[in-house]
Amino acid sequence: MTRVAAIDCGTNSIRLLVADADPATGELVDLDRRMTIVRLGQGVDRTGRLAPEALERTFAACREYAAIIKEHGAERLRFVATSASRDAENREDFVRGVLDILGVEPEVITGDQEAEFSFTGATRELSGRTDLARPYLVVDIGGGSTEFVVGDDRVRAARSVDVGCVRMTERHLVHDGEVSDPPTEEQIAAIRADIEAALDLAGQTVPLREARTLVGLAGSVTTVSAIAQDLPDYDSARIHHSRVSRARVREITGHLLRSTHAERATIPSMHPGRVDVIGAGSLVLLAIMERIGAEEVVVSEHDILDGIAWSVA
């Protein structure tokens, strides 16, 4: 086995995986998997720049991760940065900071590369399943963008579009620095219009309706699963490969969009960093399910981070 470390830095969170990988057997054994909400994409949709405070939150997490990687003795490290750092004018400040702390330069990957990693991470362990029809549609709902990937053993088509839980929240729900609590019907309609336009765009490249199984990734989807199961806390083992019906997703989305910040914060499985953005994230998931006619979503805790780890191995 090869001991590897992978870091995925997105718009809302930064995540670390240290694992032993055996390419011969396809086994990836987790040694440490963790996530920190840093909101790197704070204000990027509006200003086009990474905010100083967002950079410092991200660098603080990098320092913590550097100590963990050293402790486990990982032989190789790959750091991948996605939507927010693709869009920012001052991304060189981010690159220099990461290089100083971790000794590797973050790779600001394209949406297509992001989709490839997400697909590999989500589907590699599904290859022996007979209860999940192919092709898969893997949907990674991030903070700044959403990736759509259709494939079976390999990617057939992929597209990244600029709708994510943070981007939609900041674009439509934030006024004078405050998040609408709860959003108005007009604000919800505006988010929905952006999502539908993004689905039209994705559909030009990806045959969305050909998919037989919808696989959903990232924090908005996993949080919806935790709420659907009424979990007393966030339990990765129970969330991984759970299934949530479209009717249940619609019910949860409606509840989240009608609730206040304080009400959402009382949900025991809710990470504090998702309280303000989960409504928009769940609406993205619901719109996708309605567009392709998916009766359920298979929820995966394995995603782009696992795909990055395999690319290192």
Side-chain angles (χ1 to χ4, degrees):
M1 287 193 175
T2 303
R3 183 157 295 183
V4 298
I7 294 176
D8 164 38
C9 186
T11 302
N12 196 43
S13 64
I14 183 170
R15 299 181 303 144
L16 168 69
L17 172 61
V18 182
D20 285 331
D22 186 346
T25 64
E27 185 179 19
L28 194 67
V29 179
D30 289 13
L31 300 174
D32 200 309
R33 185 188 293 260
R34 62 184 64 203
M35 180 268 292
T36 309
I37 300 285
V38 294
R39 198 68 65 84
L40 177 62
Q42 171 192 332
V44 167
D45 189 58
R46 177 176 53 84
T47 68
R49 298 180 62 82
L50 298 168
E53 60 271 28
L55 284 169
E56 185 45 48
R57 289 192 298 267
T58 305
F59 295 154
C62 287
R63 286 188 280 271
E64 176 189 346
Y65 290 178
I68 295 164
I69 292 165
K70 183 178 179 180
E71 177 187 343
H72 284 292
E75 300 169 41
R76 304 173 189 169
L77 165 64
R78 189 170 190 179
F79 187 116
V80 165
T82 54
S83 180
S85 45
R86 274 202 303 268
D87 300 339
E89 295 173 4
N90 60 333
R91 60 184 177 213
E92 286 305 313
D93 296 340
F94 168 68
V95 170
R96 283 194 301 271
V98 171
L99 183 59
D100 287 345
I101 296 166
L102 288 160
V104 297
E105 188 168 314
E107 300 173 55
V108 182
I109 61 173
T110 66
D112 286 345
Q113 289 174 302
E114 192 173 345
E116 182 87 36
F117 285 143
S118 294
F119 186 83
T120 300
T123 64
R124 187 163 183 141
E125 62 187 345
L126 300 180
S127 58
R129 295 279 294 265
T130 58
D131 59 325
L132 299 177
R134 299 184 188 189
Y136 308 113
L137 171 60
V138 174
V139 175
D140 187 342
I141 302 172
S145 63
T146 295
E147 282 63 56
F148 296 84
V149 198
V150 164
D152 24 61
D153 292 324
R154 59 183 179 80
V155 172
R156 285 170 39 187
R159 185 71 179 261
S160 177
V161 294
D162 283 341
V163 290
C165 59
V166 174
R167 193 184 297 271
M168 291 298 94
T169 299
E170 290 194 347
R171 182 178 295 174
H172 296 292
L173 303 185
V174 176
H175 295 283
D176 297 325
E178 297 293 330
V179 179
S180 296
D181 193 24
T184 65
E185 290 299 324
E186 291 78 11
Q187 289 172 323
I188 294 170
I191 294 175
R192 187 67 185 246
D194 272 5
I195 298 169
E196 295 295 340
L199 286 169
D200 290 342
L201 193 61
Q204 294 174 11
T205 307
V206 180
L208 301 175
R209 294 185 181 275
E210 289 184 14
R212 301 288 302 281
T213 297
L214 174 64
V215 182
L217 316 182
S220 292
V221 181
T222 58
T223 300
V224 167
S225 172
I227 296 170
Q229 298 180 68
D230 198 23
L231 297 181
D233 51 30
Y234 191 94
D235 186 339
S236 293
R238 292 184 61 182
I239 291 169
H240 188 49
H241 289 173
S242 60
R243 303 185 187 198
V244 187
S245 70
R246 186 170 73 219
R248 189 76 173 105
V249 171
R250 183 180 295 111
E251 178 186 355
I252 291 167
T253 300
H255 173 73
L256 291 170
L257 291 172
R258 289 190 301 270
S259 62
T260 64
H261 176 100
E263 290 167 339
R264 294 189 301 275
T266 63
I267 298 172
S269 56
M270 180 78 68
H271 190 288
R274 296 204 187 281
V275 173
D276 284 334
V277 301
I278 186 61
S282 63
L283 188 57
V284 174
L285 174 61
L286 177 61
I288 293 167
M289 297 181 78
E290 291 177 344
R291 172 68 69 97
I292 70 172
E295 293 298 326
E296 66 176 13
V297 58
V298 177
V299 181
S300 178
E301 284 275 19
H302 293 179
D303 49 30
I304 185 174
L305 195 58
D306 301 76
I308 297 166
W310 278 118
S311 75
V312 179

